[in-house]
Amino acid sequence: LVAWCLGFREPYTTALTQVAKRDMNLTEILSSEQIVPRLAAADRWAVIDQLIDVLVRTHKIRTEDSETVRKAVKDRETSKSTGIGYGIALPHASVACITDVVAVFGRPTHGVEFQALDNQPVTMCLLFLAPQGQFQKHLLLLSSFARFLSNKENRQKLETAQTVEEILAIFRSAT
């Protein structure tokens, strides 16, 4: 990627650097309808399925694309767990069936085994999809989300929030 970027002249590399430094505001892609404070899922596959169902229900992905999305997210999860530790999972994939980034946040009512790096159950899950071919945007989002959720204060607030509105306010306050 660096070699590719070096081929661009100054205005392009400056713009690329500015984008790279800007963290994505979750409220830009996450509405109250895409927050599930109590997911009744028993395992990581059920968590992923339920979160994708929310994206279908909120018209962020088309019903006819839901199986393609499920396969992409589950293939990614099978290759390496997206459980990053601290009770957080960030399942994600790049898919051709969307034109912009979409996300959904859920909290399983009981910790779910996600084969996380720290071997702890997942209590918060942010699933996101990026359009295929937007590799840099995908990585920037992953980094931004991981940084936000790795912050102990943010995690504690999200763990204790009781309502969708409270959760959305926490994401909003991070900007």
Side-chain angles (χ1 to χ4, degrees):
L1 180 63
V2 173
W4 180 73
C5 291
L6 290 175
F8 286 115
R9 300 209 188 293
E10 178 61 27
Y12 296 105
T13 56
T14 301
L16 189 60
T17 302
Q18 289 169 345
V19 169
K21 288 181 179 175
R22 179 184 170 271
D23 281 351
M24 170 63 88
N25 176 349
L26 278 169
T27 58
E28 292 176 35
I29 59 170
L30 199 60
S31 69
S32 59
E33 295 82 23
Q34 292 156 260
I35 296 173
V36 185
R38 288 172 286 289
L39 273 175
D43 61 43
R44 67 179 168 164
W45 308 118
V47 169
I48 290 168
D49 283 337
Q50 288 179 26
L51 292 177
I52 290 171
D53 289 345
V54 170
L55 292 175
V56 171
R57 195 169 48 253
T58 58
H59 307 288
K60 299 299 178 183
I61 60 173
R62 297 179 308 192
T63 304
E64 58 267 26
D65 294 328
S66 64
E67 290 311 310
T68 300
V69 169
R70 275 181 227 287
K71 181 177 178 351
V73 173
K74 289 180 178 182
D75 285 352
R76 169 60 186 88
E77 188 65 36
T78 300
S79 72
K80 184 169 179 154
S81 174
T82 58
I84 63 170
Y86 306 108
I88 302 162
L90 296 172
H92 58 278
S94 293
V95 292
C97 58
I98 59 171
T99 58
D100 207 358
V101 175
V102 297
V104 57
F105 177 80
R107 293 187 316 196
T109 52
H110 303 288
V112 173
E113 171 56 45
F114 243 85
Q115 297 180 352
L117 293 174
D118 62 359
N119 294 314
Q120 297 301 308
V122 164
T123 57
M124 291 181 281
C125 186
L126 177 66
L127 183 147
F128 77 95
L129 306 170
Q132 200 164 38
Q134 295 188 20
F135 180 72
Q136 183 176 7
K137 188 173 193 176
H138 187 124
L139 289 179
L140 290 171
L141 289 170
L142 183 60
S143 170
S144 178
F145 298 159
R147 189 171 27 262
F148 175 79
L149 292 169
S150 293
N151 177 288
K152 185 176 182 178
E153 185 178 334
N154 291 337
R155 283 194 319 274
Q156 288 173 335
K157 288 177 183 177
L158 287 169
E159 288 167 353
T160 59
Q162 297 297 309
T163 66
V164 168
E165 293 76 20
E166 289 175 9
I167 293 170
L168 195 57
I170 294 162
F171 287 131
R172 195 173 289 124
S173 71
T175 60

